[in-house]
Amino acid sequence: MGNKENAIYEMGKFDVAVIGAGHAGCEAGLAAARLGLKTVVFASTLEAVAMMACNPSIGGTGKGQLVREIDALGGEMGVNIDATMVQSKMLNTGKGPAIQSLRAQADKKEYHARMKSVLEKEENLELKQAEIVTIEAAYTEGKKRVTAVITKTGARYEAKAVILATGTFLSSKIFIGHSEYSSGPDGMAACNELSQSIRTLGLKLRRFKTGTPARALKNTFDYSLMKREEGDQPVVPFSFLTKNINIDQLPCYLTYTNEKTHEIIRDNFNRSAMFSGKIEGAGPRYCPSIEDKVKRFADKKRHQLFIEPEGRNTEEMYIQGMSSSLPEDVQTLFYRTIPGLENIEISRPAYAIEYDCIDSLELFHTLETKEVGNLYCAGQINGSSGYEEAGAQGLIAGINAGLKLRNKPPFVLGRDEAYIGVLIDDLVTKGTNEPYRMMTSRAEYRLLLRQDNADLRLTQRGYEIGLASDERLEKMKRKRQGIEDELARLKKHKASPEEVNDILEQKGTGAISKKTSLYELLKRPQLSYEELGAVDGERPALDDGVITQVEISCKYEGYINKQLEQVDRFKQLEDKALSANLDYLSIKGLRLEAAEKLAAIKPASVGAASRISGVSPADIGVLLVYLERMTREKAK
């Protein structure tokens, strides 16, 4: 498996080599370096470091939870967006806390520049501009393991572990109308030679597709014809370490397509790369192109789009909701039918991009490949989409590469512990036939995995690994103690009918006939913690984060307890470990399809096996009976 003949010169020895410096590569490299490992991160161009090739934003429904979890574990994404945002909003505030998510518009250039600076200053980390074309591997102790990476110019970097974080650069092609050409995102060069090296290692590659809308000059929009969308005040930070964010927020704007827009798109379906058969890869179902929307939802009279700033020091605006692979002349025509866009001047046309990725079923939960030891994959190479999904995987890959090289137990988050756990478990047990996007509906325990309690759930775990700082841990402990103390005080403090019945009547809720604890009163949906302050003379001064947790813990106590019971039942199956050497084909009663799927994926537990597509509850029953019989035989 050695490829030393391709190397011209040796460039040193490293513990971890990260291929790619997008959102996955940055988190992977920083995690490994912060764990004390000598790390090198490669980008084909340093302008691609933490590049926002698509939407210049971080967070959103389901994704905001991922960013908060990355932050709680000691990652960088939350800190970086707090320092570079231009607008912030909390989504779904009219709904329950389980699906509320933070989202922020970023200054695209500043986000890149700050993250690049963080990598450059990080101890134990070297950032290099180089295209990796070969991953070298050799057999040791009967297992194929990575040994080095080689650049296009022949430089060889010896590495004990390699993390693939290639994003959409791997053998990528751009499609605009009938035009197609080799290119990475945003006009950057594609990485065309690495794919063959990955195949040589034994990994199978497939094609996925995504796209991005056009950018246009802000002085060519008529904002009077669009709805202005302001950011929230005060700004809520992503990072639990950020105290306050005081910025002049930039507005976004909302407008809609119309029947004329759709008519132009329909008339030019034959000129779309999407429908011409040129694109082989599967696209994202939850983020379709505008021509796909018009075709699939033919009865819909309009589609919304947001006009969002790309930064403070640029004239470019991003047109969210309008990705396309139609030719540039058609793009100009249909954009100009939209209110406020009649005189639009496009600076960068929309395009579709197709790229190589692996089948995520070839990964362990640590994100190490099953085929090659010490080779990890993170981000869009695993079939996911989105900066947040990439950053989360990069963090976990970097952590596990570091832990393995230090001979420490792996770090795996369960579905009951974090959205990150849901994301990775979905990828490695269920797989995906399209770019995977995180949504709150994917998390069955989402009431427990809220964005507001990510620090309480994960800071201790991050500290034990060695990523979360002493400061972060102490802050979390103070918060937890404050919550516990206030909940205890509310249960103890009682209000009389004379004190509260007027308030209860004003709020449209029933009066009380005897003294009742403030805790019981706060359970009522009509009452807030703040409103009870009128009859609570003993109330201490508390941070907003503590108040939020107190109110949620009280109002949702019954639902939370039910989910905790569900988690207990879930863990019974998760705790039943399965050997990687188990011969599923020899288990009597197990259907052939299930046995083949289990043999290929090698789930770590019965719980993981139950989530594999093609494995039925009856198959799990057979598996449990088999395990019980094996346990009895061992006992004898």
Side-chain angles (χ1 to χ4, degrees), residues 206 359-361 382 424-434 436 442 601 611-613:
R206 53 186 179 165
D359 184 344
S360 55
L361 295 177
N382 291 343
I424 293 175
D425 186 65
D426 277 354
L427 288 172
V428 306
T429 61
K430 299 177 182 178
T432 183
N433 294 318
E434 63 181 3
Y436 176 101
R442 296 189 189 273
I601 296 172
R611 294 187 292 277
I612 295 173
S613 175

Side-chain angles (χ1 to χ4, degrees), residues 323-424:
S323 68
S324 177
S325 62
L326 283 162
E328 293 175 69
D329 61 326
V330 180
Q331 290 185 36
T332 301
L333 280 174
F334 73 65
Y335 277 127
R336 287 182 175 175
T337 65
I338 297 167
L341 280 63
E342 293 86 351
N343 298 304
I344 189 173
E345 290 294 339
I346 295 173
S347 53
R348 307 186 203 208
Y351 61 83
I353 184 168
E354 191 179 65
Y355 54 95
D356 282 349
C357 60
I358 68 163
D359 184 344
S360 55
L361 295 177
E362 296 191 36
L363 300 170
F364 294 116
H365 278 79
T366 58
L367 298 182
E368 184 181 17
T369 65
K370 296 172 182 176
E371 183 70 23
V372 185
N374 294 10
L375 176 63
Y376 297 79
C377 296
Q380 286 180 276
I381 192 172
N382 291 343
S384 64
S385 71
Y387 312 143
E388 303 82 2
E389 291 89 340
Q393 293 171 69
L395 180 69
I396 298 302
I399 288 171
N400 278 308
L403 292 176
K404 187 174 183 184
L405 295 183
R406 293 288 174 85
N407 295 314
K408 292 184 178 180
F411 181 73
V412 174
L413 291 167
R415 298 182 71 89
D416 59 314
E417 293 180 288
Y419 268 75
I420 296 175
V422 175
L423 162 67
I424 293 175

Side-chain angles (χ1 to χ4, degrees), residues 84-387:
T84 59
M85 68 170 63
V86 298
Q87 194 199 80
S88 175
K89 270 195 170 185
M90 188 69 74
L91 306 183
N92 300 325
T93 53
K95 300 178 181 178
I99 58 173
Q100 291 178 14
S101 304
L102 190 59
R103 181 181 185 272
Q105 288 296 128
D107 186 307
K108 182 176 179 175
K109 292 295 183 184
E110 285 299 312
Y111 190 92
H112 148 77
R114 186 190 177 280
M115 187 68 86
K116 179 171 175 281
S117 176
V118 170
L119 265 68
E120 289 167 339
K121 294 175 182 176
E122 185 65 45
E123 191 178 357
N124 299 321
L125 191 151
E126 294 184 27
L127 180 62
K128 303 283 187 182
Q129 179 167 296
E131 181 185 344
I132 301 299
V133 296
T134 302
I135 300 171
E136 194 179 286
Y139 281 93
T140 56
E141 300 175 356
K143 173 78 173 179
K144 193 193 311 177
R145 303 177 195 277
V146 294
T147 55
V149 297
I150 300 172
T151 72
K152 194 165 189 170
T153 58
R156 182 176 183 271
Y157 292 78
E158 192 172 315
K160 298 174 184 174
V162 173
I163 300 172
L164 275 169
T166 50
T168 59
F169 283 84
L170 207 56
S171 297
S172 51
K173 277 186 180 180
I174 296 290
F175 296 85
I176 302 176
H178 292 308
S179 173
E180 63 174 281
Y181 53 93
S182 174
S183 174
D186 216 8
M188 295 180 176
C191 297
N192 292 320
E193 297 178 53
L194 184 57
S195 289
Q196 185 53 48
S197 179
I198 293 171
R199 289 190 185 94
T200 302
L201 290 171
L203 275 67
K204 297 173 185 175
L205 292 177
R206 53 186 179 165
R207 299 292 276 176
F208 271 8
K209 167 257 172 189
T210 188
T212 189
R215 275 71 165 175
L217 301 179
K218 67 181 179 183
N219 61 1
T220 65
F221 292 94
D222 183 352
Y223 301 105
S224 67
L225 298 178
M226 298 183 277
K227 182 184 176 186
R228 187 180 173 106
E229 298 279 338
E230 302 283 2
D232 292 343
Q233 290 289 357
V235 175
V236 177
F238 271 102
S239 175
F240 293 100
L241 292 182
T242 304
K243 294 180 180 177
N244 295 297
I245 298 177
N246 297 308
I247 57 169
D248 292 326
Q249 297 191 63
L250 301 182
C252 298
Y253 297 88
L254 173 65
T255 186
Y256 295 88
T257 63
N258 52 61
E259 190 51 43
K260 181 63 176 174
T261 319
H262 301 173
E263 182 184 339
I264 292 171
I265 292 169
R266 281 193 293 268
D267 289 346
N268 288 277
F269 276 161
N270 64 319
R271 297 183 66 192
S272 168
M274 183 77 189
F275 301 135
S276 67
K278 285 179 174 289
I279 297 176
E280 303 170 12
R285 186 162 34 113
Y286 299 103
C287 189
S289 65
I290 187 61
E291 54 264 42
D292 202 18
K293 288 180 186 177
V294 169
K295 188 167 188 175
R296 284 167 52 192
F297 309 107
D299 59 330
K300 197 162 186 180
K301 300 301 182 185
R302 65 178 191 172
H303 296 281
Q304 73 176 17
L305 55 147
F306 288 93
I307 311 301
E308 301 169 334
E310 291 248 303
R312 295 188 185 278
N313 300 306
T314 178
E315 293 295 303
E316 289 187 294
M317 303 288 276
Y318 175 89
I319 307 175
Q320 185 198 339
M322 293 285 279
S323 68
S324 177
S325 62
L326 283 162
E328 293 175 69
D329 61 326
V330 180
Q331 290 185 36
T332 301
L333 280 174
F334 73 65
Y335 277 127
R336 287 182 175 175
T337 65
I338 297 167
L341 280 63
E342 293 86 351
N343 298 304
I344 189 173
E345 290 294 339
I346 295 173
S347 53
R348 307 186 203 208
Y351 61 83
I353 184 168
E354 191 179 65
Y355 54 95
D356 282 349
C357 60
I358 68 163
D359 184 344
S360 55
L361 295 177
E362 296 191 36
L363 300 170
F364 294 116
H365 278 79
T366 58
L367 298 182
E368 184 181 17
T369 65
K370 296 172 182 176
E371 183 70 23
V372 185
N374 294 10
L375 176 63
Y376 297 79
C377 296
Q380 286 180 276
I381 192 172
N382 291 343
S384 64
S385 71
Y387 312 143

